[in-house]
Amino acid sequence: SCPAAAAGRAAMLEASGRRRAAVRVVYRAAKRRPADETLASLDRLLEEYDPKRLLRLYGRLRRLHPGDHELALH
């Protein structure tokens, strides 16, 4: 699915109180292609609630996509 669709689905899941499922959806999409929509969505979902997990997921994404410019900006 495209990054915008993943971000939209995550927003719906979060709205219904399913933050963990929302994080899974955008993280999977970001693993395929770290696009701005999915990375911004990850930031929004985890920055306040679980910054350690956010950093861990970014670490994994950086290893999967070492040369990705979009990811480096985040």
Side-chain angles (χ1 to χ4, degrees), residues 18-39:
R18 300 181 58 205
R19 179 180 310 279
R20 288 180 62 139
V23 168
R24 261 196 318 274
V25 166
V26 285
Y27 178 65
R28 268 196 218 118
K31 271 170 65 174
R32 282 193 296 277
R33 182 163 72 90
D36 192 47
E37 294 97 331
T38 49
L39 298 174

Side-chain angles (χ1 to χ4, degrees), residues 2 5 11 21 44:
C2 77
R44 193 177 49 70

Side-chain angles (χ1 to χ4, degrees), residues 1-73:
S1 70
C2 77
R9 177 153 167 64
M12 285 183 351
L13 285 166
E14 183 192 15
S16 64
R18 300 181 58 205
R19 179 180 310 279
R20 288 180 62 139
V23 168
R24 261 196 318 274
V25 166
V26 285
Y27 178 65
R28 268 196 218 118
K31 271 170 65 174
R32 282 193 296 277
R33 182 163 72 90
D36 192 47
E37 294 97 331
T38 49
L39 298 174
S41 192
L42 260 184
D43 287 348
R44 193 177 49 70
L45 286 165
L46 287 175
E47 218 158 19
E48 274 176 57
Y49 303 94
D50 198 349
K52 280 190 183 132
R53 181 165 183 220
L54 181 62
L55 291 173
R56 208 167 49 241
L57 294 181
Y58 269 126
R60 284 188 206 151
L61 290 172
R62 288 297 300 254
R63 286 192 294 279
L64 285 170
H65 304 277
D68 192 280
H69 180 66
E70 197 72 59
L71 191 52
L73 289 175

